[in-house]
Amino acid sequence: MSNQLALSRALADLAGNPEQSEAVRERGHCVVLAGPGSGKTKTLTTAMARALIEDVVEPRGVACITYNNECAIELEARLAPFGIGGSDRNFIGTVHSFALTQVIMPYARCLAGLLPDEIRVATRDEISAAVEVAYAVVFDDQFDPHARWQFAEEKRRCEVNRSLVHWRGRNPELADFIEAYEAELRRRGLIDFDDMPLIAYRMIRDHAWIQSAIRARFPILFVDEYQDLGHALHELVLLLCFAGGIRLFAVGDADQSIYGFTGANPELLQSLVARPDVSEIRLRLNYRSGAKIIRASLGALGEERDYRGIDAAPEGDLLFWKVRGDLDAQASAVANQILPKLLERHRAEEVAILYRAAWLGDKLGGALDQTGIAYVRTDGNALVKRSSRLARLVEGCAAWVAGGWRDANPPFERLALQARAIVYGGRCSEAEAQSLTGQLMAFLRSGIDRGETAHAWLRRLCQELIVPWRALARNPHQEWGVCVEMVEKTDPARGRDMALNIFAGRIEGTGRVSLSTLHSAKGREFDAVVLFGMNAGDIPSRRDEKSAASLREARRLFYVGVTRPRNELSVVYRDGAPSPWVVELYKRSQQV
């Protein structure tokens, strides 16, 4: 199928929704406010495809900034049917990756004294050591440097423009602490993640030629989940788009802003919408959930919205499970009573159990282990870190070896592109690309029908691929340690080894139930969702109630969970002690 034919079909598919059609054809600055299940990703990818096919002449391309690597991988997969893949023409990735690969790496060496010639991203231990050295330089006391650094981090993330008076005018000792910390990193030839957009911002602000070079490459900037991306991204947008002439297409939903602890602020999205030079388009139609779930979700949010479902959609169902006992008893009820009933009506891979924190996933995992129900975790204690591109590549390679080579699921070409991005930061010569592709193919073929367990295969992958790749890598973002972590987590001495097809998620005849934190479930959808541990005192917690802002964010997190299912939502809580938000949810669900 030609690129133009694929685009024509995609545009025709959106024709029944005037808001989506307007958004993908917009040629000025545009902010799309997209509620849950409103086709946000479809709108974004169709707009990107239309821009690349109709508006942007090669070799120019577009840049798309996403919240995390998992979002970037999904966008790449959605763009593939349009014939749009990873290339030097386009950028799809996080704001940190954009800052590093599109600004710092190409241009920093042209600016004498800005950074050491050779830099790499600091590890956790190196960050900790730099904090301690900086604290000793600035403060003459015996207090915990890391406790004070939490306040410094917040200032660093929020106050991006250090040329303003309030950088030193507010908490000048924290400004000194931050500057001493950054000086210590530079002395060691290091940068950290927060450094990346901050350095990129200063480079673009202070050097008009860099701004012009970026505009020449990327005349359009797309931003996904704008409400989650924080002050540094917002300042970059103001510089590149409203001062620098790049067209902006941003998608977001302030009601789903749940990353305040990383510096996200929904007011930044709202400030874009208020600009007179920005077109605002609202997507109000929820294609995902039944009407009953949509009505109840407004009880979860605690505010009215004009969202509605499609006419042909079923009502959907809400079930409230009160369990006598603590979280262990609730986990047992999920494993032995609730899940078996859901699995009679839904495929396992379309069922998810969502919870507040990763340690709750440990309780559920223990209960499910007793039942034999297969599951995959996508929380902080998961075997595969979904936010790591290298971990996702390893999982994809395992899937290819475990049978994916037969049906090109995943396609080898995608794995090769991901490998090049990890090793070379996306840019390499033809000879380098061919060599890397050959190494990858040789390794993958050697594993077919070999009968290795996950642990044995991972050990061999580390020795045969990761060690040589690490030696020639030009990408300063080092994440090679995730492979070592996977080897350790599958250690048979700890009883954690498994068949390679189970590790890869290719289990013949069955799927796996998803276990995920509410944060990690954002952007995903399932036929049926179980909200686990929705007890009074747990959601909202005492910590949530310390401020109006944190309480509001906790409520948005609850709303994200409630809006994940298409057909069925089950809410599990302690008998006699439901979350007050569960009570509101129940009341809404009873309304006709």
Side-chain angles (χ1 to χ4, degrees), residues 478-527:
Q478 304 292 339
E479 55 176 8
W480 307 110
V482 300
C483 288
V484 176
E485 290 177 16
M486 285 189 278
V487 170
E488 293 172 349
K489 288 181 177 180
T490 56
D491 188 348
R494 301 181 182 180
R496 296 179 179 177
D497 202 2
M498 64 191 75
L500 187 61
N501 66 329
I502 294 176
F503 169 77
R506 291 186 66 96
I507 307 171
E508 297 299 328
T510 186
R512 297 182 292 178
V513 172
S514 291
L515 272 58
S516 174
T517 60
L518 291 164
H519 282 97
S520 296
K522 186 171 178 295
R524 304 176 69 191
E525 59 183 59
F526 306 89
D527 282 346

Side-chain angles (χ1 to χ4, degrees), residues 17-20 22-23 30-35 38 252-255 270 273 279-285 305-307:
N17 187 314
E19 291 82 12
Q20 287 181 319
E22 180 186 358
C30 178
V31 173
V32 179
L33 301 178
S38 61
D253 180 10
D255 291 337
Q270 293 161 348
V273 173
S279 295
E280 172 196 347
I281 299 173
R282 292 181 180 269
L283 304 185
R284 297 177 172 87
L285 196 59
R305 296 288 184 269
D306 57 350
Y307 299 137

Side-chain angles (χ1 to χ4, degrees), residues 239-314:
L239 262 183
L240 291 171
C241 299
F242 299 106
I246 293 175
R247 188 208 304 174
L248 174 68
F249 186 101
V251 179
D253 180 10
D255 291 337
Q256 297 185 72
S257 179
I258 58 174
Y259 293 101
F261 58 90
T262 66
N265 184 347
E267 293 179 2
L268 300 177
L269 174 62
Q270 293 161 348
S271 71
L272 280 187
V273 173
R275 292 182 62 102
D277 51 352
V278 171
S279 295
E280 172 196 347
I281 299 173
R282 292 181 180 269
L283 304 185
R284 297 177 172 87
L285 196 59
N286 185 325
Y287 291 93
R288 176 189 301 155
S289 304
K292 193 172 184 179
I293 294 174
I294 295 172
R295 286 197 305 270
S297 71
L298 298 180
L301 184 62
E303 294 183 19
E304 294 300 323
R305 296 288 184 269
D306 57 350
Y307 299 137
R308 60 183 179 85
I310 58 176
D311 294 336

Side-chain angles (χ1 to χ4, degrees), residues 353 355 357-362 364 376-386 489 515-518 520 524:
I353 311 171
Y355 38 87
W359 64 272
L360 294 170
D362 296 338
L364 285 165
V376 59
R377 293 181 65 169
T378 56
D379 59 31
N381 292 342
L383 177 59
V384 176
K385 293 182 177 179
R386 313 298 291 187
K489 288 181 177 180
L515 272 58
S516 174
T517 60
L518 291 164
S520 296
R524 304 176 69 191

Side-chain angles (χ1 to χ4, degrees), residues 67-364:
Y67 177 71
N68 57 30
N69 286 322
E70 190 167 1
C71 295
I73 291 168
E74 181 186 359
L75 288 177
E76 289 167 356
R78 295 276 196 107
L79 288 166
F82 296 102
I84 298 167
S87 69
D88 285 348
R89 183 186 179 196
N90 304 311
F91 170 86
I92 303 175
T94 65
V95 64
H96 302 93
S97 179
F98 178 83
L100 182 64
T101 64
Q102 307 303 314
V103 184
I104 297 173
M105 290 175 65
Y107 306 121
R109 292 190 181 187
C110 301
L111 306 175
L114 177 67
L115 291 171
D117 288 342
E118 298 297 330
I119 59 168
R120 63 178 175 82
V121 181
T123 65
R124 287 185 181 180
D125 288 343
E126 289 168 333
I127 289 171
S128 179
V131 166
E132 292 169 6
V133 169
Y135 191 87
V137 169
V138 175
F139 300 102
D140 184 21
D141 60 42
Q142 302 300 313
F143 294 109
D144 180 5
H146 300 287
R148 198 153 190 174
W149 180 246
Q150 292 179 7
F151 296 99
E153 275 188 310
E154 182 176 356
K155 179 179 177 69
R156 188 175 180 224
R157 287 172 179 159
C158 294
E159 298 179 20
V160 177
N161 189 348
R162 298 183 185 177
S163 65
L164 300 179
V165 173
H166 65 247
W167 169 249
R168 304 214 70 84
R170 291 187 214 151
N171 298 314
E173 73 285 354
L174 291 183
D176 292 338
F177 190 9
I178 292 165
E179 290 168 358
Y181 162 78
E182 291 172 348
E184 179 61 18
L185 286 185
R186 303 299 177 271
R187 189 184 68 79
R188 302 179 183 210
L190 301 171
I191 60 175
D192 69 7
F193 274 94
D194 286 339
D195 262 326
M196 296 175 191
L198 295 174
I199 293 170
Y201 169 80
R202 289 196 289 272
M203 289 172 64
I204 295 168
R205 181 196 65 194
D206 296 342
H207 302 279
W209 65 270
I210 297 179
Q211 188 176 106
S212 298
I214 295 170
R215 184 176 63 249
R217 287 198 63 202
F218 304 124
I220 308 174
L221 174 64
F222 292 85
V223 183
D224 189 19
E225 304 287 10
Y226 196 97
Q227 75 283 348
D228 291 331
L229 287 162
H231 290 263
L233 180 277
H234 185 67
E235 294 294 337
L236 280 172
V237 164
L238 295 180
L239 262 183
L240 291 171
C241 299
F242 299 106
I246 293 175
R247 188 208 304 174
L248 174 68
F249 186 101
V251 179
D253 180 10
D255 291 337
Q256 297 185 72
S257 179
I258 58 174
Y259 293 101
F261 58 90
T262 66
N265 184 347
E267 293 179 2
L268 300 177
L269 174 62
Q270 293 161 348
S271 71
L272 280 187
V273 173
R275 292 182 62 102
D277 51 352
V278 171
S279 295
E280 172 196 347
I281 299 173
R282 292 181 180 269
L283 304 185
R284 297 177 172 87
L285 196 59
N286 185 325
Y287 291 93
R288 176 189 301 155
S289 304
K292 193 172 184 179
I293 294 174
I294 295 172
R295 286 197 305 270
S297 71
L298 298 180
L301 184 62
E303 294 183 19
E304 294 300 323
R305 296 288 184 269
D306 57 350
Y307 299 137
R308 60 183 179 85
I310 58 176
D311 294 336
E315 273 279 290
D317 202 6
L318 274 78
L319 299 173
F320 294 85
W321 295 80
K322 52 185 179 182
V323 178
R324 291 185 179 179
D326 58 11
L327 288 164
D328 291 315
Q330 293 167 50
S332 178
V334 170
N336 294 287
Q337 299 174 46
I338 301 170
L339 266 184
K341 291 181 182 295
L342 290 176
L343 294 176
E344 292 174 1
R345 300 187 291 274
H346 307 283
R347 292 180 297 131
E349 58 268 29
E350 292 296 344
V351 177
I353 311 171
L354 310 183
Y355 38 87
R356 188 75 188 270
W359 64 272
L360 294 170
D362 296 338
K363 291 184 177 293
L364 285 165

